[in-house]
Amino acid sequence: MIVLGIDPGLANLGLGLVDGNVRKARHLHHVCITTESAWVMPRRLAYIHSEVSRLIETYQPEAVAIEDQILRRQADVAFKVGQAFGVVQLACAQAGVPVHYYGPMQVKKSLVGSGRADKEQVIYMVKASLGVRELFNNHAADALALALTHLAHQPMQAAARLARA
């Protein structure tokens, strides 16, 4: 199964692709898409949409895992990230790829075993799980962590679908 993990953001949006299952995952690609604050909002959103759409077309993921975060303290930041979040979901819907949402604590618990793990522990587990040695952008690392989390949750979600059927 190919999974695209997405760490949403307006200035920095992490994308990470993995292939495999919970026991054996393979790193396919990761990137951090950046937009310039000097760009007008429509240009930033269009760029994010086109890059996500291009990656979906290239790799044909079977699922997308997006970080579902709630920014409570800064309304202006939440609004801007929310716009990027919406554009990403639009690209997924247009491609017909199902989207799954995971909170930060779910990702940490899935990869490290504790919802209170720090970022360095998560990055370490992403590198260890995928055999990636290079240092990469934290946003891309978060995106790969989301994709791995989906692979870990996939067997449970499949069992739940069977039970409902």
Side-chain angles (χ1 to χ4, degrees):
M1 167 178 259
I2 296 176
V3 179
L4 170 61
I6 301 177
D7 178 32
L10 182 61
N12 298 291
L13 185 132
L15 299 167
L17 284 136
V18 298
D19 184 18
N21 58 47
V22 67
R23 293 180 186 189
K24 180 79 171 147
R26 183 172 58 97
H27 172 260
L28 295 177
H29 181 72
H30 68 269
V31 66
C32 181
I33 295 172
T34 59
T35 65
E36 300 296 326
S37 59
W39 295 356
V40 294
M41 185 61 76
R43 179 179 178 197
R44 293 175 89 174
L45 297 174
Y47 181 70
I48 289 169
H49 181 270
S50 69
E51 289 300 300
V52 171
S53 296
R54 184 182 59 75
L55 221 58
I56 289 171
E57 185 178 331
T58 301
Y59 287 94
Q60 299 289 306
E62 297 163 65
V64 172
I66 300 178
E67 183 175 359
D68 192 12
Q69 57 187 350
I70 300 170
L71 299 172
R72 298 170 194 234
R73 293 199 174 112
Q74 297 174 311
D76 60 326
V77 173
F79 183 70
K80 290 175 182 177
V81 170
Q83 290 181 81
F85 190 79
V87 166
V88 166
Q89 291 177 94
L90 173 62
C92 296
Q94 288 174 329
V97 183
V99 177
H100 304 270
Y101 306 92
Y102 299 98
M105 288 184 74
Q106 282 178 288
V107 173
K108 292 173 182 180
K109 187 166 178 83
S110 176
L111 290 175
V112 181
S114 168
R116 298 186 185 273
D118 62 32
K119 187 166 279 295
E120 288 76 27
Q121 290 173 301
V122 173
I123 291 172
Y124 176 84
M125 289 306 296
V126 167
K127 288 180 178 182
S129 298
L130 297 174
V132 176
R133 288 189 170 87
E134 66 185 88
L135 295 173
F136 44 79
N137 180 285
N138 285 344
H139 300 288
D142 288 346
L144 289 168
L146 283 154
L148 290 169
T149 298
H150 182 71
L151 288 181
H153 284 82
Q154 180 58 25
M156 291 178 282
Q157 291 172 354
R161 281 192 301 273
L162 282 175
R164 286 190 299 266

PDB file of all heavy atoms in Angstrom, residues 50-73:
ATOM      1  N   SER A  50      -1.253  22.495  -6.722  1.00  0.00           N
ATOM      2  CA  SER A  50      -0.626  21.884  -7.898  1.00  0.00           C
ATOM      3  C   SER A  50       0.467  20.893  -7.494  1.00  0.00           C
ATOM      4  O   SER A  50       0.601  19.827  -8.110  1.00  0.00           O
ATOM      5  CB  SER A  50      -0.074  22.947  -8.850  1.00  0.00           C
ATOM      6  OG  SER A  50       1.029  23.611  -8.285  1.00  0.00           O
ATOM      7  N   GLU A  51       1.248  21.207  -6.462  1.00  0.00           N
ATOM      8  CA  GLU A  51       2.309  20.298  -6.036  1.00  0.00           C
ATOM      9  C   GLU A  51       1.752  19.016  -5.419  1.00  0.00           C
ATOM     10  O   GLU A  51       2.244  17.926  -5.690  1.00  0.00           O
ATOM     11  CB  GLU A  51       3.256  21.004  -5.055  1.00  0.00           C
ATOM     12  CG  GLU A  51       4.122  22.056  -5.700  1.00  0.00           C
ATOM     13  CD  GLU A  51       5.009  21.484  -6.798  1.00  0.00           C
ATOM     14  OE1 GLU A  51       5.830  20.592  -6.503  1.00  0.00           O
ATOM     15  OE2 GLU A  51       4.883  21.931  -7.950  1.00  0.00           O
ATOM     16  N   VAL A  52       0.721  19.143  -4.594  1.00  0.00           N
ATOM     17  CA  VAL A  52       0.100  17.955  -4.008  1.00  0.00           C
ATOM     18  C   VAL A  52      -0.552  17.117  -5.105  1.00  0.00           C
ATOM     19  O   VAL A  52      -0.395  15.889  -5.145  1.00  0.00           O
ATOM     20  CB  VAL A  52      -0.922  18.341  -2.913  1.00  0.00           C
ATOM     21  CG1 VAL A  52      -1.729  17.130  -2.453  1.00  0.00           C
ATOM     22  CG2 VAL A  52      -0.206  18.978  -1.725  1.00  0.00           C
ATOM     23  N   SER A  53      -1.242  17.763  -6.021  1.00  0.00           N
ATOM     24  CA  SER A  53      -1.883  17.043  -7.134  1.00  0.00           C
ATOM     25  C   SER A  53      -0.848  16.315  -7.992  1.00  0.00           C
ATOM     26  O   SER A  53      -1.062  15.176  -8.407  1.00  0.00           O
ATOM     27  CB  SER A  53      -2.685  18.012  -8.009  1.00  0.00           C
ATOM     28  OG  SER A  53      -3.751  18.566  -7.276  1.00  0.00           O
ATOM     29  N   ARG A  54       0.270  16.976  -8.249  1.00  0.00           N
ATOM     30  CA  ARG A  54       1.340  16.368  -9.051  1.00  0.00           C
ATOM     31  C   ARG A  54       1.903  15.126  -8.366  1.00  0.00           C
ATOM     32  O   ARG A  54       2.107  14.087  -8.994  1.00  0.00           O
ATOM     33  CB  ARG A  54       2.446  17.388  -9.305  1.00  0.00           C
ATOM     34  CG  ARG A  54       3.571  16.898 -10.213  1.00  0.00           C
ATOM     35  CD  ARG A  54       4.663  17.939 -10.381  1.00  0.00           C
ATOM     36  NE  ARG A  54       5.288  18.338  -9.126  1.00  0.00           N
ATOM     37  CZ  ARG A  54       6.161  17.569  -8.448  1.00  0.00           C
ATOM     38  NH1 ARG A  54       6.508  16.391  -8.902  1.00  0.00           N
ATOM     39  NH2 ARG A  54       6.696  18.008  -7.323  1.00  0.00           N
ATOM     40  N   LEU A  55       2.118  15.219  -7.059  1.00  0.00           N
ATOM     41  CA  LEU A  55       2.648  14.077  -6.309  1.00  0.00           C
ATOM     42  C   LEU A  55       1.649  12.920  -6.291  1.00  0.00           C
ATOM     43  O   LEU A  55       2.032  11.762  -6.445  1.00  0.00           O
ATOM     44  CB  LEU A  55       2.987  14.507  -4.874  1.00  0.00           C
ATOM     45  CG  LEU A  55       4.270  13.960  -4.312  1.00  0.00           C
ATOM     46  CD1 LEU A  55       5.467  14.341  -5.146  1.00  0.00           C
ATOM     47  CD2 LEU A  55       4.448  14.417  -2.883  1.00  0.00           C
ATOM     48  N   ILE A  56       0.382  13.236  -6.137  1.00  0.00           N
ATOM     49  CA  ILE A  56      -0.650  12.200  -6.158  1.00  0.00           C
ATOM     50  C   ILE A  56      -0.687  11.517  -7.523  1.00  0.00           C
ATOM     51  O   ILE A  56      -0.752  10.291  -7.619  1.00  0.00           O
ATOM     52  CB  ILE A  56      -2.033  12.778  -5.783  1.00  0.00           C
ATOM     53  CG1 ILE A  56      -2.074  13.143  -4.298  1.00  0.00           C
ATOM     54  CG2 ILE A  56      -3.151  11.792  -6.129  1.00  0.00           C
ATOM     55  CD1 ILE A  56      -3.325  13.909  -3.875  1.00  0.00           C
ATOM     56  N   GLU A  57      -0.604  12.302  -8.579  1.00  0.00           N
ATOM     57  CA  GLU A  57      -0.616  11.736  -9.931  1.00  0.00           C
ATOM     58  C   GLU A  57       0.615  10.873 -10.188  1.00  0.00           C
ATOM     59  O   GLU A  57       0.532   9.802 -10.787  1.00  0.00           O
ATOM     60  CB  GLU A  57      -0.688  12.860 -10.961  1.00  0.00           C
ATOM     61  CG  GLU A  57      -0.816  12.350 -12.389  1.00  0.00           C
ATOM     62  CD  GLU A  57      -0.930  13.486 -13.393  1.00  0.00           C
ATOM     63  OE1 GLU A  57      -1.428  14.551 -13.038  1.00  0.00           O
ATOM     64  OE2 GLU A  57      -0.502  13.266 -14.544  1.00  0.00           O
ATOM     65  N   THR A  58       1.762  11.310  -9.708  1.00  0.00           N
ATOM     66  CA  THR A  58       3.011  10.580  -9.927  1.00  0.00           C
ATOM     67  C   THR A  58       3.053   9.255  -9.175  1.00  0.00           C
ATOM     68  O   THR A  58       3.427   8.228  -9.730  1.00  0.00           O
ATOM     69  CB  THR A  58       4.217  11.448  -9.510  1.00  0.00           C
ATOM     70  OG1 THR A  58       4.203  12.646 -10.287  1.00  0.00           O
ATOM     71  CG2 THR A  58       5.532  10.712  -9.733  1.00  0.00           C
ATOM     72  N   TYR A  59       2.674   9.270  -7.896  1.00  0.00           N
ATOM     73  CA  TYR A  59       2.836   8.086  -7.044  1.00  0.00           C
ATOM     74  C   TYR A  59       1.564   7.256  -6.857  1.00  0.00           C
ATOM     75  O   TYR A  59       1.639   6.133  -6.375  1.00  0.00           O
ATOM     76  CB  TYR A  59       3.393   8.487  -5.673  1.00  0.00           C
ATOM     77  CG  TYR A  59       4.840   8.869  -5.744  1.00  0.00           C
ATOM     78  CD1 TYR A  59       5.224  10.201  -5.906  1.00  0.00           C
ATOM     79  CD2 TYR A  59       5.852   7.913  -5.672  1.00  0.00           C
ATOM     80  CE1 TYR A  59       6.560  10.556  -5.975  1.00  0.00           C
ATOM     81  CE2 TYR A  59       7.183   8.258  -5.741  1.00  0.00           C
ATOM     82  CZ  TYR A  59       7.531   9.582  -5.892  1.00  0.00           C
ATOM     83  OH  TYR A  59       8.854   9.928  -5.961  1.00  0.00           O
ATOM     84  N   GLN A  60       0.412   7.805  -7.201  1.00  0.00           N
ATOM     85  CA  GLN A  60      -0.863   7.088  -7.099  1.00  0.00           C
ATOM     86  C   GLN A  60      -1.071   6.441  -5.722  1.00  0.00           C
ATOM     87  O   GLN A  60      -1.271   5.228  -5.618  1.00  0.00           O
ATOM     88  CB  GLN A  60      -0.956   6.015  -8.196  1.00  0.00           C
ATOM     89  CG  GLN A  60      -0.892   6.541  -9.611  1.00  0.00           C
ATOM     90  CD  GLN A  60      -2.146   7.305  -9.993  1.00  0.00           C
ATOM     91  OE1 GLN A  60      -3.241   6.789  -9.869  1.00  0.00           O
ATOM     92  NE2 GLN A  60      -1.982   8.529 -10.435  1.00  0.00           N
ATOM     93  N   PRO A  61      -1.036   7.231  -4.640  1.00  0.00           N
ATOM     94  CA  PRO A  61      -1.229   6.635  -3.315  1.00  0.00           C
ATOM     95  C   PRO A  61      -2.631   6.072  -3.158  1.00  0.00           C
ATOM     96  O   PRO A  61      -3.584   6.556  -3.777  1.00  0.00           O
ATOM     97  CB  PRO A  61      -1.002   7.814  -2.361  1.00  0.00           C
ATOM     98  CG  PRO A  61      -1.337   9.021  -3.175  1.00  0.00           C
ATOM     99  CD  PRO A  61      -0.906   8.681  -4.579  1.00  0.00           C
ATOM    100  N   GLU A  62      -2.736   5.040  -2.328  1.00  0.00           N
ATOM    101  CA  GLU A  62      -4.036   4.425  -2.042  1.00  0.00           C
ATOM    102  C   GLU A  62      -4.726   5.110  -0.875  1.00  0.00           C
ATOM    103  O   GLU A  62      -5.925   4.924  -0.664  1.00  0.00           O
ATOM    104  CB  GLU A  62      -3.846   2.941  -1.756  1.00  0.00           C
ATOM    105  CG  GLU A  62      -3.284   2.197  -2.965  1.00  0.00           C
ATOM    106  CD  GLU A  62      -2.727   0.855  -2.582  1.00  0.00           C
ATOM    107  OE1 GLU A  62      -3.508  -0.010  -2.153  1.00  0.00           O
ATOM    108  OE2 GLU A  62      -1.498   0.693  -2.699  1.00  0.00           O
ATOM    109  N   ALA A  63      -3.967   5.874  -0.103  1.00  0.00           N
ATOM    110  CA  ALA A  63      -4.519   6.594   1.031  1.00  0.00           C
ATOM    111  C   ALA A  63      -3.651   7.810   1.326  1.00  0.00           C
ATOM    112  O   ALA A  63      -2.469   7.834   1.003  1.00  0.00           O
ATOM    113  CB  ALA A  63      -4.581   5.692   2.259  1.00  0.00           C
ATOM    114  N   VAL A  64      -4.276   8.793   1.960  1.00  0.00           N
ATOM    115  CA  VAL A  64      -3.572   9.987   2.409  1.00  0.00           C
ATOM    116  C   VAL A  64      -3.811  10.115   3.910  1.00  0.00           C
ATOM    117  O   VAL A  64      -4.936   9.947   4.381  1.00  0.00           O
ATOM    118  CB  VAL A  64      -4.070  11.247   1.671  1.00  0.00           C
ATOM    119  CG1 VAL A  64      -3.478  12.506   2.283  1.00  0.00           C
ATOM    120  CG2 VAL A  64      -3.740  11.177   0.194  1.00  0.00           C
ATOM    121  N   ALA A  65      -2.750  10.389   4.655  1.00  0.00           N
ATOM    122  CA  ALA A  65      -2.831  10.612   6.095  1.00  0.00           C
ATOM    123  C   ALA A  65      -2.424  12.049   6.378  1.00  0.00           C
ATOM    124  O   ALA A  65      -1.310  12.455   6.055  1.00  0.00           O
ATOM    125  CB  ALA A  65      -1.911   9.643   6.837  1.00  0.00           C
ATOM    126  N   ILE A  66      -3.356  12.822   6.946  1.00  0.00           N
ATOM    127  CA  ILE A  66      -3.119  14.234   7.208  1.00  0.00           C
ATOM    128  C   ILE A  66      -3.151  14.475   8.708  1.00  0.00           C
ATOM    129  O   ILE A  66      -3.995  13.922   9.420  1.00  0.00           O
ATOM    130  CB  ILE A  66      -4.188  15.117   6.531  1.00  0.00           C
ATOM    131  CG1 ILE A  66      -4.188  14.927   5.016  1.00  0.00           C
ATOM    132  CG2 ILE A  66      -3.964  16.591   6.865  1.00  0.00           C
ATOM    133  CD1 ILE A  66      -5.250  15.728   4.295  1.00  0.00           C
ATOM    134  N   GLU A  67      -2.244  15.345   9.167  1.00  0.00           N
ATOM    135  CA  GLU A  67      -2.276  15.713  10.577  1.00  0.00           C
ATOM    136  C   GLU A  67      -3.497  16.581  10.827  1.00  0.00           C
ATOM    137  O   GLU A  67      -3.706  17.596  10.179  1.00  0.00           O
ATOM    138  CB  GLU A  67      -1.017  16.463  10.998  1.00  0.00           C
ATOM    139  CG  GLU A  67      -1.029  16.766  12.485  1.00  0.00           C
ATOM    140  CD  GLU A  67       0.240  17.391  12.992  1.00  0.00           C
ATOM    141  OE1 GLU A  67       1.181  17.602  12.210  1.00  0.00           O
ATOM    142  OE2 GLU A  67       0.284  17.677  14.195  1.00  0.00           O
ATOM    143  N   ASP A  68      -4.307  16.143  11.758  1.00  0.00           N
ATOM    144  CA  ASP A  68      -5.511  16.861  12.146  1.00  0.00           C
ATOM    145  C   ASP A  68      -5.173  17.620  13.418  1.00  0.00           C
ATOM    146  O   ASP A  68      -5.160  17.050  14.498  1.00  0.00           O
ATOM    147  CB  ASP A  68      -6.647  15.865  12.399  1.00  0.00           C
ATOM    148  CG  ASP A  68      -7.984  16.538  12.519  1.00  0.00           C
ATOM    149  OD1 ASP A  68      -8.083  17.731  12.189  1.00  0.00           O
ATOM    150  OD2 ASP A  68      -8.942  15.863  12.937  1.00  0.00           O
ATOM    151  N   GLN A  69      -4.846  18.871  13.258  1.00  0.00           N
ATOM    152  CA  GLN A  69      -4.415  19.660  14.407  1.00  0.00           C
ATOM    153  C   GLN A  69      -5.371  20.810  14.642  1.00  0.00           C
ATOM    154  O   GLN A  69      -5.973  21.324  13.722  1.00  0.00           O
ATOM    155  CB  GLN A  69      -3.002  20.174  14.185  1.00  0.00           C
ATOM    156  CG  GLN A  69      -2.862  21.010  12.922  1.00  0.00           C
ATOM    157  CD  GLN A  69      -1.422  21.362  12.632  1.00  0.00           C
ATOM    158  OE1 GLN A  69      -0.571  21.148  13.452  1.00  0.00           O
ATOM    159  NE2 GLN A  69      -1.162  21.922  11.479  1.00  0.00           N
ATOM    160  N   ILE A  70      -5.467  21.179  15.885  1.00  0.00           N
ATOM    161  CA  ILE A  70      -6.298  22.323  16.240  1.00  0.00           C
ATOM    162  C   ILE A  70      -5.373  23.378  16.838  1.00  0.00           C
ATOM    163  O   ILE A  70      -4.729  23.152  17.853  1.00  0.00           O
ATOM    164  CB  ILE A  70      -7.382  21.929  17.258  1.00  0.00           C
ATOM    165  CG1 ILE A  70      -8.284  20.851  16.666  1.00  0.00           C
ATOM    166  CG2 ILE A  70      -8.173  23.143  17.678  1.00  0.00           C
ATOM    167  CD1 ILE A  70      -9.227  20.237  17.667  1.00  0.00           C
ATOM    168  N   LEU A  71      -5.306  24.511  16.165  1.00  0.00           N
ATOM    169  CA  LEU A  71      -4.486  25.619  16.667  1.00  0.00           C
ATOM    170  C   LEU A  71      -5.421  26.553  17.433  1.00  0.00           C
ATOM    171  O   LEU A  71      -6.260  27.211  16.844  1.00  0.00           O
ATOM    172  CB  LEU A  71      -3.814  26.357  15.503  1.00  0.00           C
ATOM    173  CG  LEU A  71      -2.874  25.509  14.656  1.00  0.00           C
ATOM    174  CD1 LEU A  71      -2.432  26.286  13.426  1.00  0.00           C
ATOM    175  CD2 LEU A  71      -1.681  25.076  15.462  1.00  0.00           C
ATOM    176  N   ARG A  72      -5.277  26.594  18.710  1.00  0.00           N
ATOM    177  CA  ARG A  72      -6.204  27.343  19.547  1.00  0.00           C
ATOM    178  C   ARG A  72      -5.717  28.738  19.896  1.00  0.00           C
ATOM    179  O   ARG A  72      -6.511  29.605  20.197  1.00  0.00           O
ATOM    180  CB  ARG A  72      -6.462  26.574  20.838  1.00  0.00           C
ATOM    181  CG  ARG A  72      -7.095  25.248  20.594  1.00  0.00           C
ATOM    182  CD  ARG A  72      -7.114  24.440  21.852  1.00  0.00           C
ATOM    183  NE  ARG A  72      -7.422  23.057  21.499  1.00  0.00           N
ATOM    184  CZ  ARG A  72      -8.389  22.372  22.019  1.00  0.00           C
ATOM    185  NH1 ARG A  72      -9.145  22.881  22.935  1.00  0.00           N
ATOM    186  NH2 ARG A  72      -8.610  21.129  21.645  1.00  0.00           N
ATOM    187  N   ARG A  73      -4.425  28.942  19.924  1.00  0.00           N
ATOM    188  CA  ARG A  73      -3.898  30.195  20.475  1.00  0.00           C
ATOM    189  C   ARG A  73      -3.843  31.334  19.461  1.00  0.00           C
ATOM    190  O   ARG A  73      -4.016  32.479  19.817  1.00  0.00           O
ATOM    191  CB  ARG A  73      -2.516  29.952  21.058  1.00  0.00           C
ATOM    192  CG  ARG A  73      -2.592  29.050  22.262  1.00  0.00           C
ATOM    193  CD  ARG A  73      -1.341  29.160  23.106  1.00  0.00           C
ATOM    194  NE  ARG A  73      -1.523  28.382  24.315  1.00  0.00           N
ATOM    195  CZ  ARG A  73      -0.865  27.286  24.606  1.00  0.00           C
ATOM    196  NH1 ARG A  73       0.050  26.838  23.783  1.00  0.00           N
ATOM    197  NH2 ARG A  73      -1.101  26.639  25.723  1.00  0.00           N
TER     198      ARG A  73
END
